[in-house]
């Protein structure tokens, strides 16, 4: 019986061992799929294509799906596009990396996207799509060209959209510094509002409102600030001397806006005509005018007062220049003084004296007195000799005429 039982036991154990061995060899170990790495967030400019990637390992027979988180919309399952949005596409690389393509990205595409594996329970991970928008200046709410009186308060406003929100910078188009309060100057002013508490003519010019947010391209708008003020004239030389026959140029500097009418007048407010020997010239530079009046050949009638006049809608003003006669260096007085000096030098040489700084005038006076005395002696001798000949006619025969 024991042998029989042992035989029976051994017969039952062999089949069980064989079955276990066969099952282990036939049935492999089952491994659930997992995500190999997190989804990288993506930033894309509006209008471009955005691609999100989901890397999966050991996917086997499971499937990958893409969903829009905020709307719970199924976009794709495996290689099939479920949504009716024609801008959505899906692709993969050896069933390991699954790509969600969003073409012509819009701002509305910004948000969270989910990559999901249909395990039980479901496995998923999310990634964020950031859509950036280059700046755009809003014309309807941004300042346009402005015309203001000098001394008034001015605010230039610039408004722009974009994502991220744009920064606003103000600059002068000509590159000059911007006058600020308390006499300070700056290359630029930050912020949507550029405030000028008391505008003056130095603020006049073109300004650029520049909007930038790191997304190219930056944009700008050009705004002209015009400051109006009545004319102002400055004259550097109010008294000018001239000689007859010389060319003479009179100059004035005028500032005014609106642009002024500029001309020259004489003593009785008569306008100096253009042409002939008079040539008026105007050199414009923004609100500044350099006035010139050239007289080709000065005559006696040209001496007197001249006015440079500037007028605009806000007022008028003038500056006066007086032209006087300038004596020549070789006038009669100068000739007389020159002859005196020449006679003085000759007399000193004849007397054998040298001019010195200390007794020059005394020597000249002595020389003049001696010269007068000699002249008187000569005249006296001639008169005496004439009388003597009159009383002795016989001597005249010796000296016939």
């Amino acid at each position: 019986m024991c042998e029989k039982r042992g035989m029976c036991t051994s017969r039952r154990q062999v089949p069980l061992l064989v079955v276990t061995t066969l099952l282990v060899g036939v049935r492999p170990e089952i491994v659930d799929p997992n995500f190999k790495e997190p989804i990288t967030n993506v930033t894309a400019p509006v209008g471009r294509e955005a691609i999100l990637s989901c890397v999966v390992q050991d996917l086997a027979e499971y499937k990958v799906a893409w969903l829009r988180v905020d709307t719970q919309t199924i976009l794709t399952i495996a290689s099939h596009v479920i949504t009716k949005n024609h801008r959505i596409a899906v692709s993969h690389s050896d069933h390991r990396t699954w790509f969600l393509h969003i073409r012509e990205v819009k701002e509305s595409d910004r948000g969270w996207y989910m990559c999901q594996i249909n395990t039980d329970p479901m496995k998923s991970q999310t990634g964020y799509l950031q859509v950036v928008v280059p700046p755009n200046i809003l014309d309807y709410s941004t300042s346009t060209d402005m015309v203001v009186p000098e001394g008034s308060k001015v605010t230039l406003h610039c408004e722009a959209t974009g994502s991220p929100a744009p920064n606003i910078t103000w600059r002068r188009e000509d590159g000059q510094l911007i006058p600020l309060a308390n006499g300070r100057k700056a290359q630029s002013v930050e912020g949507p509002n550029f405030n000028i508490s008391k505008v003056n003519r130095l603020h006049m010019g073109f300004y650029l409102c520049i909007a930038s947010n790191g997304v190219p391209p930056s944009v700008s708008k050009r705004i002209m600030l015009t400051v109006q003020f009545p004319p102002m004239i400055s004259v550097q030389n109010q008294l000018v001397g001239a000689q007859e026959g010389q060319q003479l140029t009179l100059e004035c500097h005028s500032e005014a806006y609106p642009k002024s009418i500029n001309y020259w007048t004489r003593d009785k407010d008569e306008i100096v005509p253009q042409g002939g020997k008079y040539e008026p010239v105007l050199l414009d530079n923004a609100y500044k005018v350099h006035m010139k009046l050239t007289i080709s050949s000065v005559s006696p009638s040209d001496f007197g007062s001249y006015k440079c006049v500037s007028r605009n809608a806000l007022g008028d003003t003038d500056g006066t220049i007086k032209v006087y006669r300038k004596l020549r260096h070789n006038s009669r007085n100068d000739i007389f003084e020159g002859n005196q000096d020449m006679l003085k030098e000759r007399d000193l040489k004849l007397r054998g004296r040298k001019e010195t700084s200390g007794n020059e005038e005394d020597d000249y006076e002595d020389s003049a007195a001696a010269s007068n005395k000699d002249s008187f002696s000569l005249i006296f001798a001639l008169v005496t000799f004439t009388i003597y000949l009159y009383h002795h006619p016989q001597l005249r025969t010796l000296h016939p005429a």
Side-chain angles (χ1 to χ4, degrees), residues 148-155 179-181 195-203 225 227:
V148 296
E150 190 170 40
S152 62
K153 183 178 180 180
V154 175
T155 297
L180 302 176
N195 297 311
I196 306 174
S197 58
K198 192 175 182 181
V199 71
N200 61 57
R201 63 197 68 181
L202 297 179
H203 290 105
L225 176 61
V227 180

Side-chain angles (χ1 to χ4, degrees), residues 219-231:
V219 292
S220 64
K221 182 177 180 180
R222 187 172 183 250
I223 300 172
M224 175 63 180
L225 176 61
T226 301
V227 180
Q228 292 187 334
F229 54 94

Side-chain angles (χ1 to χ4, degrees), residues 58-72:
D58 302 322
L59 184 60
E61 299 300 323
Y62 293 99
K63 298 182 184 300
V64 173
W66 283 98
L67 296 86
R68 177 75 185 260
V69 174
D70 56 354
T71 61
Q72 292 296 309

